[in-house]
Amino acid sequence: NAGVMQNPRHLVRRRGQEARLRCSPMKGHSHVYWYRQLPEEGLKFMVYLQKENIIDESGMPKERFSAEFPKEGPSILRIQQVVRGDSAAYFCASSPGNRETQYFGPGTRLLVL
Amino acid sequence: AQTVTQSQPEMSVQEAETVTLSCTYDTSESDYYLFWYKQPPSRQMILVIRQEAYKQQNATENRFSVNFQKAAKSFSLKISDSQLGDAAMYFCAYETNSGYALNFGKGTSLLVTP
């Protein structure tokens, strides 16, 4: 049973470009969560999605960031017009339901030059 | 907002010895979940142990156990018979009963020496 998959594992972008991070949850999991980890920090919650719905995006920056979890395919975290401060590790987690243990993917390391 | 505090930025333990990592949290809720996650150099987040606040009994997973003191809002992790592979960042996390977002502490870096 494959775990949570994220790709790419490493992503380099220049300022002003777009970054697309993908997350495939574990089989049977319909709840997806995105977290961001800045250097020397713990993970910070960004957004919680169920299939085709954003449940809570209170941790998402108001501008440039968006997330989706379509009926078919992986969840996507999209960052438009990236800036150097967006450089971080972005982790996706999934769970089979609400209040169930979240299992994390390996993360995507985004570097903005 | 609930806050999670890990007061030990770094800890060191010798192989086969026991080490305890501390974690305190701030909440007004009575029902919630607590977790310890491990992040080795690969940066993968790995669940170590989970505790439900309504359960009196401390959770254990092989060499890992917790000391959950609800009144003191303390949730420490004990690692027995430490192994070199235990070297990692350890994060304490809190999840509310009415929510789903995990609130993480800043982590404790554990070094295991031969």
Side-chain angles (χ1 to χ4, degrees), chain A residues 9 33 35 37 41-43 45 48 55-56 89 91 98-102 104-106 109, chain B residues 33 35 37 39 42-45 47 50 91 95-102 104-106:
Chain A
R9 295 291 304 274
Y33 316 79
Y35 293 82
Q37 184 180 31
E41 296 283 327
L43 280 67
F45 169 78
Y48 165 40
I55 308 302
D56 182 351
F91 288 90
N98 192 20
R99 309 312 326 288
E100 302 277 351
T101 296
Q102 296 177 29
F104 282 80
R109 276 82 187 166
Chain B
Y33 294 78
F35 303 83
Y37 281 88
Q39 188 178 45
S42 67
R43 305 293 299 276
Q44 171 87 49
M45 291 290 289
L47 177 67
R50 164 183 160 133
F91 292 97
E95 181 184 288
T96 68
N97 185 42
S98 56
Y100 30 74
L102 293 175
F104 285 86
K106 289 194 173 184

Side-chain angles (χ1 to χ4, degrees), chain A:
Chain A
N1 186 15
V4 178
M5 299 177 68
Q6 289 187 248
N7 66 81
R9 295 291 304 274
H10 299 273
L11 183 61
V12 180
R13 286 288 179 265
R14 297 193 180 279
R15 282 178 294 171
Q17 292 183 320
E18 178 179 287
R20 279 183 179 248
L21 288 60
R22 287 177 289 280
C23 169
S24 297
M26 287 179 70
K27 188 175 181 180
H29 289 195
S30 58
H31 297 241
V32 166
Y33 316 79
W34 285 93
Y35 293 82
R36 177 165 65 175
Q37 184 180 31
L38 296 171
E40 312 301 324
E41 296 283 327
L43 280 67
K44 302 291 186 188
F45 169 78
M46 298 181 74
V47 62
Y48 165 40
L49 309 103
Q50 295 178 27
K51 279 288 187 182
E52 300 184 275
N53 291 305
I54 296 174
I55 308 302
D56 182 351
E57 54 182 350
S58 60
M60 290 266 277
K62 293 291 184 282
E63 297 177 351
R64 303 187 297 108
F65 285 72
S66 62
E68 62 178 11
F69 189 17
K71 187 176 180 181
E72 301 291 336
S75 175
I76 306 288
L77 179 68
R78 182 184 179 204
I79 312 172
Q80 296 178 289
Q81 300 173 358
V82 295
V83 301
R84 287 204 175 127
D86 297 333
S87 295
Y90 292 83
F91 288 90
C92 167
S94 74
S95 67
N98 192 20
R99 309 312 326 288
E100 302 277 351
T101 296
Q102 296 177 29
Y103 294 91
F104 282 80
T108 294
R109 276 82 187 166
L110 172 65
L111 175 62
V112 179
L113 301 177

